[in-house]
Amino acid sequence: MSQTPEWVKHAIFYQIFPDRFARFGGNHLPAGIQLKPWGADPAEQGFQGGDLYGIVDRLDYLAKLGINAIYLNPIFSSACNHRYHTFDYFQVDPLLGGDKALRKLLDEAHLRGIKVMLDGVFNHASRGFWAFHHILENGDDSPYLDWFLVEDWPLRPYHADEDNPPNYQAWWGLPALPKFNIANPGVRNYLFEVAEYWLKFGIDGWRLDVPCEIDDDEFWREFRRRVKAINPEAYICGEIWQRATHWLQGDMFDATMNYEFCSLTLSYFGHHALREDYHKNSLPLKQLSTEDFTQSIDNMVAAQDWQITQAQFNLLGSHDMARPLWILREDRHALQQAFLFQMTMPGAPCIYYGDEIAMTGEDDPHCRAAYPWHQPELIDQGMLAFVRAVTKLRHQFPALRTGTLAFDSDLPEDVLGYCRTLPEQQVQVFINRGKSSQVVMLDADYNWHLVLGAADQISSRGRQIVITLPPRRYAVLSHAAVPVAMISGL
Amino acid sequence: MSQTPEWVKHAIFYQIFPDRFARFGGNHLPAGIQLKPWGADPAEQGFQGGDLYGIVDRLDYLAKLGINAIYLNPIFSSACNHRYHTFDYFQVDPLLGGDKALRKLLDEAHLRGIKVMLDGVFNHASRGFWAFHHILENGDDSPYLDWFLVEDWPLRPYHADEDNPPNYQAWWGLPALPKFNIANPGVRNYLFEVAEYWLKFGIDGWRLDVPCEIDDDEFWREFRRRVKAINPEAYICGEIWQRATHWLQGDMFDATMNYEFCSLTLSYFGHHALREDYHKNSLPLKQLSTEDFTQSIDNMVAAQDWQITQAQFNLLGSHDMARPLWILREDRHALQQAFLFQMTMPGAPCIYYGDEIAMTGEDDPHCRAAYPWHQPELIDQGMLAFVRAVTKLRHQFPALRTGTLAFDSDLPEDVLGYCRTLPEQQVQVFINRGKSSQVVMLDADYNWHLVLGAADQISSRGRQIVITLPPRRYAVLSHAAVPVAMISGL
C-alpha cells in the first residue's frame, strides 16, 4: 500500500509565480538594478520584481483565503523570470530576497500552519549553470565534461540557429537548457544533495518539473528514499500531465499535478462556454455529458491507490496554461462551479494565484501577469468571496477531504450530484450547470443541513427534502451527528 | 601614522596555487569528474585537482618549514584552473572541497598558529558570473544591466574575435573577464559583502587582485573600514607591482605585493647568472652593484611609514612570473642568498610553493606545475634544509622582523652587510655573492654568536672578530643579552 503525507489530504494549495505575485522590495534586495514596472505586459522579457517578502506580506490574505499550503514556482537563482533556467540550486535568487527571505517565509508560513512546496528542476540546468559553464570554458579538458551530453565541438550556447542547432542534449532542443547526464554519479549526488539541503532548510515538499524526462526509475526511487529519510511527511509531486500510474505505485511520487482533473473539470463545467479550440498537449478540452464526466472522474479516482488519490494535486490552472477563466470564455459561473467541484473532491486542490479574483489571460506568458494589488478595481470581490466560501467548506467538513466518493445517478441532465462519506459525516453536493432550473430530492431520514446555497432552495415534501437548483447554481448539504453552523447563502 | 596588523610583521607566508600544491581527493569532492594527471604539463588546460584537504594534509610540512601564514590564490568557484575568473564569490570551489574544506583548513591552520589570506578578485568577474549571465540572457531587459559596462548589442561573450572584439568593458579586453561597474551601488555593496562574509567565516586577510584598476579611492577606503570593523587585525595587501605610496597612507592598504623587492633582490643576487632578457612589466632585471642595491633598498624601505614597511609582502616568486630559480639560471647559491636576504629584511617574506625545493620554470603557466610529492627525487633536500634554516633564523630573532635596518659601507665589492637592531638585540648579516673569498671584521666589544654559517669562518684578532666569507657564502651573527643556541652550520 502506498503511504502519502497526511497533511496533503487536508491541504488547499496556492500556486505562486514568484516574480508576479507581490513585490515588497526594500533593502533586502540587490541595489543598482532596474525592474519592469509592476503590471507590465507579461509578454515582455525581464523581471517585475515579485519577491518572497511580498509573499510574507500577503500571508494573512492567503490564510483568509483558506490556504494552508503554497506551491512556489522555482525560486533558485535564474536569469529567466520564470526561473526554470536554474544557475544556482543552492541559492534562493537574490531578486527574491535570497536565502534569508525563504527563511522568513518558511517561519512565517509555518507559524500560520501553511506548508511550502518548492519546484525542483532536475532534468536540465541552464547554460549559466556552473558545471556547464565549466565545459564552455574548458571544452573537453573540463572536469565536468561527463555531467552533460556533449555531441561535438565547439559548443554553440549563444549562437545556435536552425542550421546549427545546439550540439549538446537540451530540453526540447533549447540551447538555454542543457540536459543533465543523469547516469553520472556526480550529477545524481548533486541533485540528491539539493533535494536534501532544502528539506533540511525546512521546506515541506518538492514539485518535480518534467520528471518523466529522467527515464530512470531508480533515480526517483533513491530520490524518494533520501527525501523521506529527512522528512517522512515531505510531499513529492511530479509534473506528469498524463495518467501516471507507473510513478504512483508508492516507490516514486506521492502524487502528480493532476492535469487530467483540470481537463475534465474545465470541460464539464465549461459546457457551451468552453474554448474547445484551445489546444494544449495533454489538456484535451471537449464538452462532456454528465454521465461521461462522472465515469471519467470515477475512472481517474480508481486509477491508483486511495492514499494517492487523496494526495493528488488537483489544479484548475497553472503557469503552463491559459487562465481557466479564459478557457471558460470569461464565464464566471462556470469557474465558480469548477472551484466548488475542486473543493469537494478527493485530492489537494490548488488555486493558481489570481484565479480567485478572476484574472484571465491566454497561454503563457499571458497567464503570468502581476497580481493587481496596485489596481484594486480589477479584483473581483464576488469571485474572491465565493472561493473563500468553498475553501471554508472544505476545511469544515472532513468528509470533503477524506470521505468516499459516490456520484448520484438518475439526476436531470446537466445536474451533477455526489456524496462524500465518512462513518460520522456525509456531504451531498448538487451542481446545475444548465440554463434551466432543476429539482432534486434527498431522503429526509437524515438530519441534513444546507451548508452552501440559499435557504429558499430547500423545502420538504413528506419524508423528502426538495432542493431547487436555479440555472447555474448549486447546493451543498451536510449530515453529521453534531449540528453544523449554516454557511450564509451565496 | 599607519596602523598595520601586528602578526604580519612576524609572519612568513607560503603562497599556494591551489590546483597544484597537493591533491587529497576523496569523497568530499564532486563525483563523476575527470582530472588531469597530477604532474601533467602545466601548459595544458584543465584541472590537476589540488584541493584544500591536500593543504590540510601538508600543514605539518608547512609548519616545519617555518610557515605561519598562507596566501591562497583564488579559491572561489571558477572554471579556470587559476580561478581568477570567479563565477561565485560566495562559494569555495567544489573541486577544492567547497566551504567545508575551507572551514577545515582554517580550523587546522589556526590550531597551528597559521593565518590564512585569500585572494580577492574584485575588479572583474567572469562571463559565467551570475549578474553577467543575467545580461547575456536578458539583454537590456536585465535587472543587472548597470552592474557591467555594456557598449552595444548583442554581446559576444564566446565568439568575439579581432574584427569583433568584446562589446563590453573587460579586463585587458578579455571577453572572459567583464569589468564590474564599480560606480553601481549594488556592485559596491555586493563586493563589500563578499569581503565581510569571508572575514566572518574566519580568514585573516585579503590579497587584492589588480586593485589599481578600480580607480576609486573611496571604494578602497570603504573596503578598509568594513574589513577592519570585522577584524582590526585583518591584513589588506594590494597587488600593485610598482611603488604604491598613494595606496599606503594608512587609509587603504596595509601593504602591497612587493615586486620591487623581488626585482631588486633577484637582480642583485642573480649577478652574472641573472636572465636580464626575461622581460616582465614592472619587474626590471638588471645587474646591480652592491652600492646601487643598498641605496635602492634603503629608498624602498623609506618610501612609506615604517609600520607599512614591516607589513610589506616581500616575495621572490609568484604565480605571475617565472620561477626565481629560472630567472637565476638555476643558480642554487644565488637563490639561497636571495632567501637569506628575504628572511632577514623588514616585511613579511613569502615563499611561492615549490621554490623551497628548487622548482623551476618559465613564466606562467610553466611556473604553476604540480608540487612533486609523487616524485620525491625531484625535491631538492639541500634547498629545503636551507630554507628551513633561514625561516628558523627569522623566527628566532625578533630583530630580523622589527629591528631597524642599517647597511654597512666599506665592505669588499660583492659583499653585502647589514645589521638589524632592536634595543635588546642585534643581528649582523654578511653575504658574499662573488666568486672569490672575502674577509670582513666585526668589533668584538659585543658578545657575538655565529647563528648561520660554519664555525671555521670565524676567528678573532685582538678586539675584532674576523669573518671569512668563502665564495657564494654568508655568515649571520647575533648579539643578545641572553645566549643564543648556535644554528648548525650549513
Side-chain angles (χ1 to χ4, degrees):
Chain A
M1 196 189 95
S2 305
Q3 186 66 42
T4 54
E6 193 58 25
W7 65 268
V8 176
K9 303 165 195 166
H10 305 282
I12 299 178
F13 277 87
Y14 191 77
Q15 178 184 347
I16 291 177
F17 188 86
D19 189 55
R20 304 291 160 77
F21 177 57
R23 174 172 166 175
F24 191 78
N27 59 11
H28 299 299
L29 304 184
I33 60 170
Q34 47 201 1
L35 298 168
K36 298 276 167 175
W38 191 252
D41 184 342
E44 286 181 28
Q45 212 172 349
F47 291 76
Q48 293 189 24
D51 59 56
L52 301 190
Y53 292 113
I55 301 175
V56 171
D57 196 41
R58 300 294 176 177
L59 281 175
D60 291 337
Y61 167 82
L62 296 183
K64 194 173 170 193
L65 185 59
I67 300 306
N68 58 2
I70 294 172
Y71 154 40
L72 291 174
N73 281 107
I75 62 169
F76 304 136
S77 289
S78 170
C80 286
N81 59 38
H82 52 64
R83 296 192 173 88
Y84 280 93
H85 298 39
T86 317
F87 65 77
D88 188 343
Y89 287 83
F90 282 105
Q91 185 192 46
V92 175
D93 199 315
L95 290 176
L96 295 173
D99 293 5
K100 280 184 189 167
L102 180 61
R103 175 80 280 137
K104 177 86 172 165
L105 174 58
L106 289 174
D107 291 348
E108 293 287 334
H110 289 163
L111 210 61
R112 290 166 176 81
I114 298 175
K115 305 278 188 183
V116 177
M117 174 169 74
L118 298 191
D119 205 324
V121 189
F122 299 140
N123 174 66
H124 47 266
S126 75
R127 60 191 157 195
F129 178 70
W130 59 280
F132 189 75
H133 169 65
H134 253 276
I135 301 175
L136 289 185
E137 293 289 334
N138 292 289
D140 61 5
D141 284 314
S142 172
Y144 295 99
L145 180 62
D146 192 46
W147 279 39
F148 291 91
L149 298 152
V150 173
E151 287 153 2
D152 69 70
W153 305 99
L155 297 185
R156 290 184 287 270
Y158 286 100
H159 47 294
D161 54 36
E162 272 186 32
D163 296 332
N164 299 288
N167 42 9
Y168 45 91
Q169 287 192 35
W171 186 70
W172 282 26
L174 296 170
L177 298 175
K179 182 173 167 62
F180 279 116
N181 176 15
I182 211 72
N184 181 293
V187 168
R188 292 172 97 87
N189 200 50
Y190 179 80
L191 296 174
F192 293 145
E193 283 182 355
V194 170
E196 291 173 327
Y197 178 84
W198 294 107
L199 283 163
K200 289 177 187 165
F201 196 89
I203 68 162
D204 301 292
W206 281 110
R207 178 267 191 188
L208 301 170
D209 189 57
V210 297
C212 53
E213 306 256 358
I214 297 181
D215 185 17
D216 180 340
D217 292 347
E218 197 40 50
F219 177 85
W220 291 119
R221 291 192 187 105
E222 176 75 4
F223 182 89
R224 182 183 182 87
R225 283 191 290 271
R226 291 176 72 156
V227 162
K228 300 284 182 177
I230 290 167
N231 179 3
E233 281 285 287
Y235 183 39
I236 303 174
C237 177
E239 184 214 11
I240 301 181
W241 289 50
Q242 304 83 354
R243 187 73 66 85
T245 319
H246 175 72
W247 287 272
L248 296 176
Q249 300 296 316
D251 58 342
M252 289 190 262
F253 309 152
D254 292 319
T256 53
M257 290 189 79
N258 199 349
Y259 280 99
E260 183 181 3
F261 173 89
C262 176
S263 168
L264 291 170
T265 303
L266 295 182
S267 289
Y268 179 73
F269 294 104
H271 201 24
H272 298 307
L274 185 70
R275 284 191 201 260
E276 287 181 322
D277 56 345
Y278 171 64
H279 294 295
K280 187 88 188 176
N281 274 342
S282 308
L283 195 75
L285 296 172
K286 190 173 184 334
Q287 293 187 38
L288 292 170
S289 70
T290 303
E291 188 181 351
D292 285 348
F293 178 60
T294 58
Q295 281 181 0
S296 297
I297 294 286
D298 273 338
N299 180 283
M300 177 191 85
V301 164
Q304 61 282 312
D305 194 287
W306 178 241
Q307 273 284 322
I308 301 275
T309 294
Q310 292 174 93
Q312 279 285 76
F313 192 86
N314 289 350
L315 66 153
L316 295 176
S318 80
H319 62 294
D320 273 336
M321 55 180 278
R323 290 270 181 187
L325 189 58
W326 184 88
I327 291 173
L328 300 172
R329 280 206 181 81
E330 317 300 322
D331 183 333
R332 283 161 160 72
H333 288 292
L335 182 59
Q336 288 188 358
Q337 295 192 345
F339 272 129
L340 171 57
F341 182 72
Q342 180 194 30
M343 295 298 163
T344 53
M345 278 290 114
C350 181
I351 301 167
Y352 180 57
Y353 85 99
D355 283 346
E356 79 278 15
I357 56 163
M359 285 177 72
T360 189
E362 293 181 56
D363 219 333
D364 79 80
H366 308 286
C367 60
R368 300 171 180 179
Y371 188 109
W373 304 108
H374 59 307
Q375 288 179 293
E377 70 279 9
L378 296 183
I379 293 173
D380 183 327
Q381 294 293 343
M383 184 65 74
L384 181 58
F386 180 84
V387 176
R388 282 176 180 155
V390 292
T391 60
K392 186 171 175 184
L393 202 64
R394 184 173 183 83
H395 289 306
Q396 196 169 8
F397 296 102
L400 292 178
R401 285 132 40 203
T402 56
T404 58
L405 168 67
F407 286 103
D408 303 316
S409 52
D410 300 323
L411 295 176
E413 176 69 23
D414 292 336
V415 172
L416 179 70
Y418 50 96
C419 194
R420 303 292 312 277
T421 305
L422 282 177
E424 69 284 5
Q425 183 178 76
Q426 277 193 302
V427 178
Q428 174 69 44
V429 180
F430 294 110
I431 308 176
N432 175 13
R433 71 169 180 176
K435 291 187 176 170
S436 53
S437 194
Q438 301 289 350
V439 171
V440 294
M441 306 283 193
L442 260 189
D443 189 335
D445 278 357
Y446 298 99
N447 180 26
W448 288 104
H449 298 263
L450 182 71
V451 292
L452 191 73
D456 64 4
Q457 288 179 250
I458 308 292
S459 59
S460 63
R461 185 190 303 162
R463 301 183 64 84
Q464 294 224 291
I465 301 172
V466 179
I467 300 143
T468 304
L469 299 166
R472 324 296 308 279
R473 303 293 288 190
Y474 42 79
V476 180
L477 300 96
S478 81
H479 170 274
V482 290
V484 178
M486 296 278 281
I487 293 183
S488 60
L490 284 158
Chain B
M1 199 190 93
S2 306
Q3 185 65 43
T4 55
E6 192 58 26
W7 65 268
V8 176
K9 302 166 194 164
H10 305 281
I12 300 178
F13 277 88
Y14 191 76
Q15 178 183 346
I16 292 177
F17 189 86
D19 189 53
R20 303 291 160 77
F21 177 58
R23 174 170 165 177
F24 191 77
N27 59 11
H28 299 300
L29 304 184
I33 60 170
Q34 47 201 1
L35 297 168
K36 298 278 166 174
W38 190 253
D41 184 343
E44 285 181 29
Q45 210 171 350
F47 291 76
Q48 294 188 23
D51 59 55
L52 301 191
Y53 292 113
I55 301 175
V56 172
D57 196 40
R58 300 294 176 176
L59 281 175
D60 291 336
Y61 167 83
L62 296 183
K64 193 172 170 192
L65 185 59
I67 300 306
N68 58 2
I70 295 171
Y71 154 40
L72 290 174
N73 281 106
I75 61 170
F76 304 137
S77 289
S78 170
C80 286
N81 59 36
H82 52 63
R83 296 191 172 88
Y84 280 93
H85 298 39
T86 317
F87 65 77
D88 188 343
Y89 288 82
F90 282 105
Q91 185 191 47
V92 175
D93 199 314
L95 290 176
L96 294 174
D99 293 5
K100 281 184 189 167
L102 180 61
R103 174 80 281 135
K104 178 85 174 164
L105 174 58
L106 289 175
D107 291 348
E108 292 288 333
H110 289 164
L111 209 61
R112 291 166 174 83
I114 298 175
K115 306 277 188 182
V116 177
M117 173 169 75
L118 298 191
D119 204 324
V121 188
F122 299 140
N123 174 65
H124 47 266
S126 75
R127 60 191 159 195
F129 178 69
W130 59 280
F132 190 75
H133 170 66
H134 252 277
I135 300 176
L136 288 184
E137 293 289 333
N138 291 289
D140 61 6
D141 285 314
S142 172
Y144 295 98
L145 181 62
D146 191 46
W147 279 38
F148 291 92
L149 298 152
V150 172
E151 286 153 3
D152 68 69
W153 305 98
L155 296 186
R156 290 184 287 269
Y158 286 100
H159 47 294
D161 55 36
E162 272 186 30
D163 295 332
N164 298 288
N167 42 9
Y168 45 91
Q169 287 192 33
W171 185 71
W172 282 25
L174 295 169
L177 298 175
K179 183 173 166 63
F180 280 116
N181 176 14
I182 211 72
N184 182 293
V187 169
R188 292 173 97 86
N189 201 50
Y190 178 81
L191 295 174
F192 293 145
E193 284 182 356
V194 169
E196 291 173 327
Y197 178 84
W198 294 108
L199 282 163
K200 289 176 187 165
F201 196 89
I203 67 162
D204 302 291
W206 281 110
R207 178 267 190 187
L208 302 170
D209 189 57
V210 297
C212 52
E213 306 255 358
I214 297 181
D215 185 18
D216 180 340
D217 293 346
E218 197 40 51
F219 177 85
W220 290 120
R221 291 191 187 107
E222 176 75 4
F223 182 89
R224 182 182 182 88
R225 283 191 291 270
R226 291 176 73 155
V227 162
K228 299 284 182 176
I230 289 167
N231 179 2
E233 280 286 288
Y235 182 39
I236 303 173
C237 177
E239 184 214 8
I240 301 181
W241 290 49
Q242 304 82 355
R243 188 73 68 84
T245 318
H246 174 72
W247 288 273
L248 296 176
Q249 299 296 315
D251 58 343
M252 290 190 262
F253 309 152
D254 292 319
T256 54
M257 289 188 80
N258 199 349
Y259 279 100
E260 183 181 1
F261 173 89
C262 176
S263 168
L264 290 170
T265 303
L266 295 182
S267 290
Y268 179 73
F269 294 104
H271 202 23
H272 298 308
L274 185 69
R275 283 192 201 262
E276 287 182 322
D277 57 345
Y278 171 64
H279 293 295
K280 187 87 189 176
N281 273 342
S282 308
L283 194 76
L285 295 172
K286 190 173 183 336
Q287 293 186 38
L288 291 170
S289 69
T290 302
E291 187 181 352
D292 285 347
F293 179 59
T294 58
Q295 280 181 1
S296 297
I297 294 286
D298 273 338
N299 179 284
M300 178 192 85
V301 164
Q304 61 281 311
D305 193 287
W306 178 241
Q307 273 283 322
I308 301 275
T309 293
Q310 291 174 94
Q312 280 284 76
F313 191 85
N314 289 350
L315 67 152
L316 295 176
S318 81
H319 62 293
D320 273 336
M321 56 181 276
R323 290 269 180 188
L325 189 58
W326 184 87
I327 290 173
L328 300 172
R329 279 205 182 80
E330 317 300 322
D331 183 332
R332 283 161 160 73
H333 288 291
L335 182 59
Q336 288 189 358
Q337 295 192 343
F339 272 129
L340 171 57
F341 182 72
Q342 181 193 32
M343 294 300 162
T344 52
M345 278 290 114
C350 181
I351 301 168
Y352 180 57
Y353 85 100
D355 283 347
E356 78 278 16
I357 56 163
M359 285 177 72
T360 189
E362 295 182 53
D363 220 332
D364 79 80
H366 307 287
C367 60
R368 300 171 181 181
Y371 188 108
W373 304 107
H374 59 306
Q375 287 180 291
E377 70 279 10
L378 295 182
I379 293 174
D380 183 327
Q381 296 293 345
M383 185 65 75
L384 182 58
F386 180 83
V387 176
R388 283 177 179 153
V390 292
T391 60
K392 186 172 175 186
L393 202 65
R394 183 173 182 85
H395 289 307
Q396 196 170 4
F397 296 100
L400 292 178
R401 285 130 44 199
T402 57
T404 58
L405 168 68
F407 285 104
D408 302 316
S409 52
D410 301 322
L411 294 177
E413 176 70 24
D414 293 334
V415 173
L416 179 72
Y418 49 97
C419 194
R420 302 291 314 276
T421 305
L422 281 178
E424 69 283 6
Q425 183 178 76
Q426 277 192 303
V427 179
Q428 173 69 43
V429 180
F430 294 109
I431 307 176
N432 175 14
R433 69 170 180 177
K435 290 186 175 168
S436 51
S437 194
Q438 302 288 350
V439 171
V440 294
M441 306 282 192
L442 260 189
D443 189 336
D445 279 356
Y446 297 100
N447 180 23
W448 288 104
H449 299 262
L450 182 71
V451 291
L452 191 75
D456 63 4
Q457 288 179 249
I458 307 292
S459 58
S460 62
R461 185 189 304 162
R463 300 183 63 85
Q464 294 223 293
I465 302 173
V466 179
I467 300 143
T468 304
L469 299 167
R472 324 295 308 279
R473 303 293 288 190
Y474 41 79
V476 181
L477 299 97
S478 80
H479 171 275
V482 290
V484 177
M486 295 278 282
I487 293 181
S488 60
L490 284 159

